[in-house]
Amino acid sequence: MKNLLKPFNIFQEKIRVGGKNPTEKEYDGNYVLSKEALKYCSAIYTYGVGEDTSAEKDLSELINKPCYLYDHTINGYYLNELNPFFYYKKEGLGFSLECNDFLNHYKENNTEGEVILKIDVEGAEYDYLSNVNLEELEKKVVCLLIEFHNLNIDQNQIIFKNIINKLNKYFVLNHIHANNYGDIIGGIPTVPELSFMNRRYVKNIEEENIKYPIEGLDYPNTLQYDDIILDFSSGVLNSYRSKIKKIPNKLHFVFGLSENFGGKPWGICHYLAVKSAIDLNKPEKAYLYYKYKPTGEWFDKIEDQLDLIQIDPPIEIFGRPLLHVAHQTGVIRLQVLIEEGGIYMDVDTISNKPFTDLLHHSCVLGIQGYPDGNIEGLCDGVILAEKNSEFLQHWLLSYQSHRSKGRDQYWDEHAVRMPYTLSQQYPELLHIEPYNSFHYPLYHSDEPIASKYGIKLLFEQNLQFKDAYCHHVWESISWDPYLKNLTLEDIMNNDTTYNNIARKFL
């Protein structure tokens, strides 16, 4: 049974049709198929019409051809008004009352050539595919997309095996996705979504031992439940549940809000902040928001990996003036993450491992504090958040009380202390990482504290912090003694905590 679910590599590019936005709540009804199928497709036939017809819309617009939609369980004539390519008929798929054979529909519509056939008929697929003339169907179908249901039922498993063995004569299974509304029974998904390509259009075929879902192509059908992983890496299917990634894998950086860059122009340390984050996290996108564009050797080396977005920094929030670039940046990062979601990082960080295992949370902040448990707050130098994060919305609203005029007693009120206060009020909206995940060692530079907790641990000692996702290097303190004159030669020749991490990205 497990072997019948294993897709093959047919050396054709795959595309996803239907909703692709990973911040929406539902994605049911979308499919992955071979792009090659579009070349030979004269129409789309889809059986079983739900609320989401984005896959049908995508397909019909990609090929500029009609899409025939059939479902006898709904009154779907409104669909004809949604899209000029749509033709709905209140009829099901099968050989019983209110149903008909695809082959008859094909003839009825005077279709010529081959089509993409999509079947999602809530269990009726077993009877239909067991009795249809597959030899005739094969002549008319270039690509077959089927969602099977209720594979937890023994009888369905027996029929499923017979169907797949018959289909394999004419089609090649080249993609699988497990609908996570379903379950895992006996090591197999109970609701698999299968994509087949007609063998006549497959020149090369090879066994492929990979893991599904494929990032960037597959998304969970719902965010209500953990996703289902189908892992063929060992050659045999291993199925299990995995946490849904709520936080998109996008990186956001802010730099250059003042013309003189605050006396700290883009250098090797900023390059390393961005480069290490990109290399380890492999983001969909990495954005740099700026007013004054950085220049120089170390910016030139990273510019082509960034999406540059020029902005005008906010000068007030809720009528409260933002008099320092640090506070302007504090507002920008919250606004961007609320709108886009993703991972914000200050450019005075260096990454040590990817954030992958944190992306299933809705919002993540790290403690700014000490090994003994003393907490200063939650620092905004690193923030992970889903789009429209409720916690970030509360945080942004808290700027109604913003009162800092610069480096005064309120300097870090909304950057560090306020998020900690809000975390006590809304603990269910936030995951808090320990002190050593993002912001340790601390910013202290004076003895005797520095020798225990401060930045000397980064720049003058050679240590390993295996639990750190990244290190905040506290540029306002470390610039003059360490970063201002840092060179490639220094990094390569001197063994320090910071340098040993930095070498991996140079």
Side-chain angles (χ1 to χ4, degrees):
M1 182 68 175
K2 291 183 177 181
N3 288 338
L4 294 177
L5 291 170
K6 185 176 181 180
F8 290 87
N9 182 5
I10 60 173
F11 301 94
Q12 295 177 8
E13 181 184 353
K14 295 178 182 180
I15 60 169
R16 177 181 176 84
V17 290
K20 307 175 182 67
N21 186 350
T23 63
E24 296 297 332
K25 297 300 181 188
E26 305 293 333
Y27 316 82
D28 207 15
N30 305 298
Y31 284 85
V32 173
L33 69 155
S34 168
K35 189 175 180 180
E36 189 78 5
L38 303 180
K39 296 180 182 179
Y40 309 101
C41 182
S42 61
I44 302 103
Y45 279 75
T46 184
Y47 292 88
V49 181
E51 294 180 359
D52 184 359
T53 56
S54 58
E56 287 80 5
K57 178 178 181 293
D58 281 359
L59 281 170
S60 57
E61 292 178 355
L62 281 168
I63 64 173
N64 201 33
K65 297 290 173 60
C67 178
Y68 300 100
L69 304 100
Y70 296 90
D71 195 322
H72 65 297
T73 67
I74 66 168
N75 288 312
Y77 291 102
Y78 70 92
L79 294 166
N80 296 330
E81 306 299 321
L82 294 182
N83 190 296
F85 293 107
F86 282 6
Y87 300 90
Y88 167 79
K89 185 174 182 179
K90 188 177 174 65
E91 203 164 63
L93 179 68
F95 307 101
S96 60
L97 190 66
E98 296 186 313
C99 295
N100 206 339
D101 189 352
F102 154 72
L103 296 174
N104 290 336
H105 287 148
Y106 180 95
K107 183 178 180 180
E108 180 182 282
N109 294 320
N110 297 312
T111 303
E112 296 181 355
E114 295 175 64
V115 306
I116 292 173
L117 175 57
K118 178 175 173 284
I119 300 174
D120 182 2
V121 288
E122 305 302 322
E125 65 272 10
Y126 294 105
D127 179 65
Y128 179 74
L129 291 170
S130 295
N131 293 288
V132 69
N133 185 337
L134 279 180
E135 188 173 350
E136 283 301 310
L137 184 143
E138 179 275 337
K139 295 174 183 177
K140 296 170 174 60
V141 176
V142 62
C143 175
L144 185 57
L145 308 173
I146 315 174
E147 180 173 271
F148 285 90
H149 301 80
N150 304 318
L151 276 179
N152 53 306
I153 299 173
D154 291 343
Q155 184 61 27
N156 284 349
Q157 290 190 21
I158 295 170
I159 300 171
F160 176 82
K161 291 177 184 178
N162 292 332
I163 289 171
I164 297 300
N165 284 326
K166 288 164 64 177
L167 285 175
N168 284 341
K169 179 179 178 181
Y170 304 107
F171 297 90
V172 181
L173 177 63
N174 70 308
H175 194 83
I176 185 171
H177 179 259
N179 186 324
N180 67 324
Y181 276 109
D183 206 343
I184 302 169
I185 303 294
I188 63 171
T190 60
V191 188
E193 300 166 348
L194 306 181
S195 302
F196 296 86
M197 188 68 176
N198 193 307
R199 286 186 178 272
R200 288 184 283 108
Y201 298 102
V202 177
K203 295 180 179 178
N204 299 297
I205 182 170
E206 184 178 273
E207 185 172 314
E208 188 169 48
N209 298 321
I210 64 172
K211 185 186 296 186
Y212 298 84
I214 296 175
E215 188 168 356
L217 272 179
D218 295 303
Y219 295 105
N221 296 70
T222 177
L223 295 183
Q224 298 178 51
Y225 310 115
D226 292 344
D227 207 1
I228 295 177
I229 308 300
L230 305 177
D231 188 354
F232 296 92
S233 300
S234 67
V236 178
L237 173 60
N238 177 30
S239 305
Y240 55 92
R241 292 276 185 177
S242 178
K243 294 290 185 182
I244 298 291
K245 293 181 181 178
K246 296 181 181 179
I247 299 172
N249 188 18
K250 302 176 183 178
L251 293 171
H252 303 275
F253 304 94
V254 179
F255 189 84
L257 299 190
S258 63
E259 191 168 6
N260 71 344
F261 306 104
K264 302 175 181 68
W266 190 280
I268 191 171
C269 60
H270 306 111
Y271 166 86
L272 287 165
V274 174
K275 179 66 172 173
S276 62
I278 289 176
D279 281 7
L280 288 173
N281 291 287
K282 298 177 173 54
E284 301 167 28
K285 292 280 188 178
Y287 300 97
L288 178 69
Y289 305 87
Y290 71 98
K291 179 173 177 61
Y292 301 97
K293 184 179 175 182
T295 58
E297 172 191 2
W298 290 105
F299 185 72
D300 293 343
K301 289 179 181 291
I302 198 69
E303 181 178 0
D304 64 353
Q305 297 185 50
L306 292 167
D307 280 50
L308 303 181
I309 301 177
Q310 190 168 27
I311 61 172
D312 287 318
I315 59 174
E316 59 87 23
I317 182 75
F318 302 118
R320 301 275 182 162
L322 299 170
L323 302 176
H324 195 284
V325 292
H327 299 135
Q328 294 174 342
T329 304
V331 169
I332 292 167
R333 71 190 73 183
L334 295 182
Q335 291 174 331
V336 164
L337 288 176
I338 290 170
E339 183 175 346
E340 297 286 339
I343 303 162
Y344 169 83
M345 301 185 74
D346 279 350
V347 289
D348 62 341
T349 54
I350 190 165
S351 294
N352 192 48
K353 63 179 181 179
F355 294 112
T356 308
D357 60 354
L358 298 177
L359 299 183
H360 65 278
H361 297 291
S362 58
C363 187
V364 182
L365 289 171
I367 288 172
Q368 180 177 309
Y370 300 83
D372 64 6
N374 184 28
I375 296 175
E376 295 180 347
L378 302 176
C379 180
D380 68 352
V382 178
I383 308 172
L384 291 72
E386 66 179 346
K387 182 179 179 179
N388 295 321
S389 160
E390 290 185 56
F391 185 84
L392 294 196
Q393 292 181 58
H394 287 299
W395 191 354
L396 186 61
L397 284 172
S398 77
Y399 271 82
Q400 292 176 90
S401 64
H402 177 71
R403 53 186 169 174
S404 178
K405 293 178 170 57
R407 287 196 172 273
D408 52 24
Q409 67 267 40
Y410 307 115
W411 164 256
D412 66 348
E413 183 175 30
H414 283 80
V416 178
R417 288 178 278 161
M418 181 60 74
Y420 184 70
T421 299
L422 291 172
S423 74
Q424 311 304 300
Q425 298 177 37
Y426 308 104
E428 74 281 2
L429 301 181
L430 178 69
H431 169 76
I432 299 175
E433 279 292 301
Y435 77 95
N436 56 352
S437 287
F438 302 158
H439 305 293
Y440 190 79
L442 291 168
Y443 50 85
H444 305 290
S445 60
D446 298 325
E447 297 290 356
I449 296 176
S451 61
K452 291 184 179 180
Y453 311 121
I455 55 174
K456 286 187 177 182
L457 300 184
L458 281 177
F459 296 105
E460 294 187 22
Q461 296 189 37
N462 185 7
L463 304 170
Q464 287 188 344
F465 296 93
K466 62 181 179 62
D467 294 325
Y469 289 88
C470 63
H471 294 289
H472 197 161
V473 302
W474 312 104
E475 184 182 73
S476 60
I477 301 297
S478 61
W479 181 259
D480 283 336
Y482 303 113
L483 299 177
K484 182 178 180 179
N485 297 310
L486 184 66
T487 65
L488 178 61
E489 290 70 27
D490 291 334
I491 292 172
M492 303 308 291
N493 295 323
N494 296 314
D495 291 331
T496 66
T497 307
Y498 180 87
N499 289 350
N500 286 342
I501 298 172
R503 288 171 192 161
K504 302 172 186 176
F505 309 105
L506 291 169

